[in-house]
């Protein structure tokens, strides 16, 4: 039993202490006017990296020139993808290439409506503050509850209608 615990401890220590492949491996490349696909093949030939991408997210025929000496895969890919909308994720020996999603044109052209802040005090017929009354913007899940003095603050759309409710009151 003690022997198993010893081997288990040593195994865990070694696995945490070791550098991952992507941290320990350096690459040297001097490629001129090559396609991105050719650069990937050269890296795969000289290392254990495998590139995974979709043609819709990356133009593998884009021409590039890259000259690096003993650089990590992250530095190489940073240079390869600068001024593009491509991003990468290195997971040990696998490199996943994707694209940063751009905002839809409609979201850019049509800014969201500005909200306004409303404040108030909820009281009963005698003018006593109502603690814990619910204030809800109708048609939404936006709401709040009154404090110990019956006060509330709520951000609502410009043309909002609010509903105030409390158990026992209509």
């Amino acid at each position: 039993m003690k022997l198993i615990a010893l081997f288990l401890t040593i195994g865990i220590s070694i696995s945490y202490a070791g550098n991952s492949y992507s941290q320990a491996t350096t690459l040297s490349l001097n490629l001129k006017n090559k396609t991105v696909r050719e650069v990937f093949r050269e890296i795969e030939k000289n290392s254990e990296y495998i590139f995974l991408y979709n043609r819709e997210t990356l133009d593998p025929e884009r021409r590039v020139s890259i000259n690096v000496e003993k650089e990590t895969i992250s530095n190489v890919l940073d240079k390869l993808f600068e001024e593009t909308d491509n991003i990468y994720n290195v997971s040990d020996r696998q490199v996943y290439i994707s694209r940063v999603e751009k905002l839809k044109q409609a979201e850019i052209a049509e800014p969201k409506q500005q909200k306004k802040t409303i404040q108030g005090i909820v009281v009963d017929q005698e003018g006593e503050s109502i603690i814990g009354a619910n204030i809800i913007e109708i048609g939404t899940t936006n709401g709040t509850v009154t404090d110990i003095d019956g006060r509330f603050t709520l951000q609502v759309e410009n043309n909002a209608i609010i509903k105030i409710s409390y158990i026992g009151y209509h």
Side-chain angles (χ1 to χ4, degrees):
M1 188 64 159
K2 290 181 183 178
L3 196 56
I4 292 173
L6 176 67
F7 285 128
L8 185 59
T9 304
I10 291 171
I12 291 172
S13 298
I14 290 171
S15 68
Y16 283 114
N19 287 338
S20 71
Y21 183 78
S22 63
Q23 292 172 333
T25 303
T26 58
L27 300 166
S28 296
L29 299 168
N30 186 7
L31 303 171
K32 293 186 183 353
N33 199 28
K34 299 290 183 181
T35 65
V36 172
R37 178 184 290 129
E38 290 171 323
V39 173
F40 288 168
R41 285 186 186 147
E42 187 68 23
I43 294 171
E44 288 174 342
K45 185 173 81 174
N46 294 315
S47 68
E48 295 179 23
Y49 289 112
I50 297 171
F51 289 88
L52 303 166
Y53 61 92
N54 184 328
R55 284 182 176 267
E56 294 174 6
T57 60
L58 172 75
D59 178 11
E61 301 306 318
R62 181 174 62 95
R63 295 257 171 208
V64 295
S65 295
I66 188 161
N67 185 9
V68 293
E69 188 69 33
K70 295 185 180 178
E71 296 280 351
T72 64
I73 189 69
S74 294
N75 291 343
V76 171
L77 294 175
D78 285 344
K79 290 178 183 179
L80 188 64
F81 294 132
E82 67 186 0
E83 298 181 19
T84 71
D85 58 354
N86 291 111
I87 57 174
Y88 62 89
N89 181 18
V90 180
S91 179
D92 197 31
R93 290 171 174 81
Q94 295 179 342
V95 181
Y96 302 94
I97 310 297
S98 58
R99 183 178 2 192
V100 174
E101 291 297 321
K102 293 183 179 179
L103 291 175
K104 294 177 185 169
Q105 196 64 24
E107 291 175 359
I108 295 169
E110 186 179 312
K112 291 189 173 188
Q113 279 187 334
Q114 295 292 326
K115 290 191 172 194
K116 64 181 175 182
T117 302
I118 60 171
Q119 299 177 343
I121 301 173
V122 179
V123 295
D124 63 11
Q125 293 90 341
E126 284 83 42
E128 295 291 320
S129 300
I130 297 181
I131 302 168
N134 295 308
I135 297 89
I136 297 176
E137 181 180 359
I138 293 179
T140 71
T141 58
N142 184 26
T144 190
V145 177
T146 57
D147 66 10
I148 195 163
D149 298 320
R151 297 180 188 278
F152 71 91
T153 302
L154 183 64
Q155 281 198 322
V156 296
E157 298 295 331
N158 283 328
N159 57 353
I161 300 173
I162 62 169
K163 177 182 179 183
I164 301 173
S165 61
Y166 187 73
I167 296 174
Y169 289 88
H170 298 284

